[in-house]
């Protein structure tokens, strides 16, 4: 690429050497990113509920406690009175007695029917006596079956009640930390009442970052992209992860009546020391593209592109001569731009327009 060289007229001997504001082309890494605000939220958590109706006898943990899976959390006194169990036992005893009585009647009815069957074979009994014996045996058998079914039903009910009475201890389904607690001693609870969890357990070893990305940027994001963030609570520290999901519906209240739409983008970060907490604000960066060991020029060394997308820059050489060049760039961000052609490492580029110094006639002639 040809460069037009403009020779500057030498300043008077008494004048101080001219000073130029320049930036230097260097090699380095560059990233093109999408920036967005975000919030930290829990990644893995569960709410625990009472599995039996009753009164909270004791709360065995507090907010902030670290607990293990299957650890006891809340002790509940069941609302079911002991009298119900006694009533079930009494009812079972009565049914067992009724069953024994009906089996005796069944044995007698079957014996009578057998005798009538033998007599009928010898034409020694009336038809109505035979039919009566047959009906009595059938009825006795049906009553035995009915009582047996009642006994089975009561056994099933008693088993359910007994299992419920054994669920007086609420246990943690996962290992984690108690992050909220609503259970209080003396509180009445209902079994699996959806609106009133007793407490929430969260695994804080991993957190989710929910970034709020504008619609003109979200189309550049893809699952698996590198993501990172900083948070005001830890100045100078950065956490990293990989983009997991873009929620495909806009945030409530955005994208309506001409408003710009925003979308929630999620990724996870490890949190082994539990430094990060739910609700912390985050300044998120998603890496859309990057280049290693590229030629880089500070962004303030570029002006506006021409119609071909090239940039006009002025390069100052060691002899204080200015040459105009056309530069093609690749990746760029607010700090720097990747140089694809037109410059080399070490070139010094003037910041702003070239100095308004007219060339001498000789210099003008030589440049022509």
């Amino acid at each position: 690429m040809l460069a037009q060289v403009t020779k500057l007229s030498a300043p008077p001997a008494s004048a101080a050497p001219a000073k130029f504001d320049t930036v230097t082309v260097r090699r380095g890494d560059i990233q093109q990113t999408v920036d967005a605000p975000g919030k930290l939220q829990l990644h893995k958590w569960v709410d625990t509920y009472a599995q039996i109706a009753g009164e909270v006898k004791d709360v065995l943990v507090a907010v902030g406690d670290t607990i293990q899976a299957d650890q006891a959390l809340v002790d509940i006194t069941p609302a079911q009175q002991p009298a119900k169990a006694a009533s079930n036992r009494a009812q079972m005893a009565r049914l067992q007695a009724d069953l024994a009585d009906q089996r005796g009647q069944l044995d007698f009815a079957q014996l009578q029917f057998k005798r009538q069957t033998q007599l009928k074979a010898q034409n020694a009994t009336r038809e109505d006596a035979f039919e009566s014996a047959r009906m009595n045996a059938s009825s006795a058998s049906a009553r035995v079956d009915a009582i047996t079914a009642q006994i089975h039903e009561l056994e099933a009910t008693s088993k359910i009640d007994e299992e419920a009475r054994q669920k007086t201890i609420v246990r943690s389904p996962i290992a984690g930390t108690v992050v909220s607690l609503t259970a209080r001693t003396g509180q009445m609870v209902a079994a699996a009442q959806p609106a009133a969890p007793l407490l929430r357990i969260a695994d804080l070893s991993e957190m989710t970052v929910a970034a709020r990305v504008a619609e003109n940027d979200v189309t550049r994001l893809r699952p698996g992209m590198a993501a990172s963030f900083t948070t005001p609570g830890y100045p100078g520290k950065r956490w990293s992860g990989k983009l997991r999901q873009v929620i495909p519906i806009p945030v409530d209240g955005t994208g309506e009546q001409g408003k710009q739409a925003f979308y929630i983008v999620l990724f996870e970060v490890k949190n082994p020391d539990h430094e990060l907490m739910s609700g912390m604000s985050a300044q998120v960066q998603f890496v859309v593209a990057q280049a290693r060991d590229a030629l880089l020029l500070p962004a303030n060394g570029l002006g506006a592109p021409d119609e071909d997308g090239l940039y006009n820059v002025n390069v100052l050489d060691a002899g204080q001569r200015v040459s105009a060049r056309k530069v093609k760039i690749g990746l760029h961000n607010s700090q720097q731009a990747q140089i694809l052609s037109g410059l080399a490492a070490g070139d010094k580029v003037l910041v702003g327009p070239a100095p308004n110094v007219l060339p001498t006639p000789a210099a003008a002639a030589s440049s022509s």
Side-chain angles (χ1 to χ4, degrees):
M1 179 177 296
L2 296 177
Q4 182 180 358
V5 178
T6 301
K7 295 182 178 179
L8 303 181
S9 57
S14 60
K19 292 184 179 180
F20 301 98
D21 188 8
T22 63
V23 290
T24 304
V25 178
R26 303 182 187 279
R27 288 199 169 272
D29 300 336
I30 184 173
Q31 291 183 337
Q32 199 164 15
T33 62
V34 167
D35 296 344
K39 285 285 186 182
L40 287 164
Q41 59 188 35
L42 300 175
H43 175 58
K44 182 180 179 181
W45 54 271
V46 293
D47 287 336
T48 59
Y49 299 84
Q51 295 179 297
I52 184 174
E55 180 181 351
V56 175
K57 179 181 179 182
D58 194 10
V59 179
L60 307 174
V61 294
V63 172
D65 285 357
T66 299
I67 58 175
Q68 302 302 316
D70 202 41
Q71 181 175 329
L73 306 173
V74 179
D75 188 2
I76 298 175
T77 300
Q80 183 184 31
Q81 299 299 323
K84 184 175 182 181
S87 175
N88 287 344
R89 290 193 293 270
Q91 186 178 358
M92 180 63 73
R94 178 177 61 80
L95 289 174
Q96 294 286 2
D98 289 347
L99 179 61
D101 179 60
Q102 287 300 324
R103 282 176 173 167
Q105 294 184 37
L106 174 60
D107 291 343
F108 178 74
Q110 287 176 336
L111 182 62
Q112 290 291 93
F113 177 58
K114 181 178 179 181
R115 183 170 178 273
Q116 287 294 322
T117 300
Q118 292 171 347
L119 291 175
K120 183 179 181 182
Q122 300 171 4
N123 292 323
T125 186
R126 299 190 306 276
E127 183 66 24
D128 59 344
F130 170 78
E131 289 295 331
S132 177
R134 184 177 68 81
M135 290 297 295
N136 287 341
S138 178
S139 296
S141 178
R143 287 193 294 272
V144 168
D145 290 344
I147 294 175
T148 301
Q150 291 180 50
I151 289 174
H152 290 163
E153 182 180 3
L154 183 59
E155 286 175 342
T157 301
S158 299
K159 183 179 180 180
I160 292 173
D161 291 343
E162 180 60 28
E163 289 176 350
R165 283 192 293 273
Q166 293 175 357
K167 294 177 179 178
T168 57
I169 299 295
V170 178
R171 297 184 177 276
S172 176
I174 64 171
T177 302
V178 180
V179 295
S180 69
L181 177 64
T182 60
R184 299 289 183 272
T185 301
Q187 174 185 352
M188 298 302 297
V189 295
Q193 184 177 348
L198 298 177
L199 66 166
R200 175 171 292 180
I201 310 298
D203 180 0
L204 300 181
S205 64
E206 191 172 26
M207 301 292 287
T208 291
V209 182
R212 192 172 185 265
V213 181
E215 60 181 295
N216 56 324
D217 288 328
V218 76
T219 55
R220 303 161 63 194
L221 303 183
R222 298 289 182 273
M225 280 183 172
S228 64
F229 74 94
T230 58
T231 185
Y234 297 98
K237 189 169 183 178
R238 181 171 290 273
W239 284 263
S240 300
K242 290 189 179 297
L243 193 156
R244 170 169 61 88
Q245 183 182 17
V246 177
I247 304 299
I249 56 174
V251 177
D252 289 345
T254 70
E256 300 175 356
Q257 298 179 350
K259 294 180 180 178
Q260 185 179 26
F262 288 84
Y263 295 84
I264 297 300
V265 181
L266 305 174
F267 67 96
E268 277 69 52
V269 293
K270 299 300 182 182
N271 187 34
D273 298 325
H274 298 182
E275 295 175 300
L276 301 173
M277 293 178 282
S278 178
M280 282 183 167
S281 61
Q283 186 57 44
V284 181
Q285 280 191 341
F286 298 98
V287 180
V288 177
Q290 59 183 341
R292 304 287 187 185
D293 193 31
L295 280 177
L296 302 178
L297 176 67
N300 59 349
L302 292 173
D306 61 20
E307 58 185 11
D308 296 323
L310 302 177
Y311 290 79
N312 293 310
V313 300
N314 295 302
V315 179
L316 184 68
D317 65 15
Q320 295 294 86
R321 291 173 300 181
V322 176
S323 60
R325 300 190 192 175
K326 288 186 176 294
V327 174
K328 183 179 180 181
I329 71 169
L331 300 182
H332 61 92
N333 53 38
S334 59
Q335 288 81 36
Q336 54 192 358
Q338 178 189 15
I339 303 302
L340 299 180
S341 65
L343 293 173
D347 283 349
K348 295 184 179 297
V349 176
L350 292 178
V351 176
N356 187 21
V357 179
L358 294 177
T360 63
S366 64
S367 65
S368 62

